[in-house]
Amino acid sequence: MTTENLDINSALNWRYATKRMTGAAVPQDVIDRILEAARLAPSGIGLQPYEILVITNPELKKQILPIAANQMPVVESSHLLVFAPWDDYTPERINKVFDYLNQQRGTVSTTSDRQRQFALNYFSKFSSEENFHHAAKQAHIALGIAVAAAALEQVDATPMEGFNAQELDKFLDLKSKGLRSSMLMAIGYRDEANDWNFKLPKVRKPMYELITLYK
């Protein structure tokens, strides 16, 4: 099967939660397309309240391994992505987004004032922790898009939540950037010979249990 004849559903049937990877490098142009797909992901009010850290250094990945419950894709991946949402929505961050928006569109600042004021007012009502969880949801939309993009490239992408976020934040000094880690994603190539999960059939809920129609 080649990427040319993969539609999105075929690609998602091809992918699985890869538990062992070969360590082979994924070409940079493929990584760039996956990251671009994440960049283009939808985001509430267009704020994109997160960053994606890309780790290729083998020594860094080795140090992250015990923080991530010794999940082998951390060290066997070509690229390890850390999805790091903002730790809070601040007026400075919100204003920066809308200033950039107006600059890119060549519009005056008043053009986006309604959305800007909505964002400033809305997020001011919540605690930093509530705002972080909102930002994390936005980051995970981008993660889902990245998983699908990787599948279309026939590259394995394994999302991982089983890690000590506080330890990882400290290790990567995320606090200084106003970020907190929420998800990891290992990108690489499946090791079919050593991955116990490779030969297992993909199982998902039947449609009748997943979808409810209201007419």
Side-chain angles (χ1 to χ4, degrees), residues 12 22 24 49 64-65 67 74 109 121-122 125 151 163 172 187 189:
L12 292 175
T22 64
I64 292 172
L65 182 63
I67 298 173
V74 169
S109 60
N121 294 336
Y122 182 80
K125 300 174 185 176
F163 64 96
L172 296 175
I187 298 177
Y189 296 110

Side-chain angles (χ1 to χ4, degrees), residues 203-214:
V203 178
R204 293 293 187 269
K205 282 183 179 182
M207 274 292 201
Y208 68 84
E209 288 189 8
L210 180 67
I211 306 299
T212 300
L213 293 177
Y214 285 81

Side-chain angles (χ1 to χ4, degrees), residues 11-59:
L12 292 175
N13 264 307
W14 171 84
R15 77 155 298 277
Y16 73 105
T18 311
K19 304 302 183 184
R20 298 299 302 268
M21 294 181 172
T22 64
V26 176
Q28 189 59 48
D29 62 320
V30 175
I31 295 294
D32 290 343
R33 288 194 292 271
I34 294 169
L35 293 174
E36 177 66 359
R39 189 181 75 90
L40 295 173
S43 174
I45 325 177
L47 291 176
Q48 292 181 282
Y50 50 86
E51 295 183 21
I52 302 172
L53 313 180
V54 181
I55 300 172
T56 58
N57 185 308
E59 290 304 315

Side-chain angles (χ1 to χ4, degrees), residues 7 33 36 38 62 70 77 79-80 103 112 129 135 147 166 174 189-190 194 207-208 211-212:
D7 60 35
R33 288 194 292 271
E36 177 66 359
K62 284 180 183 178
N70 294 312
S77 63
H79 293 65
L80 179 67
Q103 177 191 18
S112 61
E129 191 66 18
V147 167
Q166 290 183 336
L174 296 188
Y189 296 110
R190 60 189 64 179
N194 294 302
M207 274 292 201
Y208 68 84
I211 306 299
T212 300

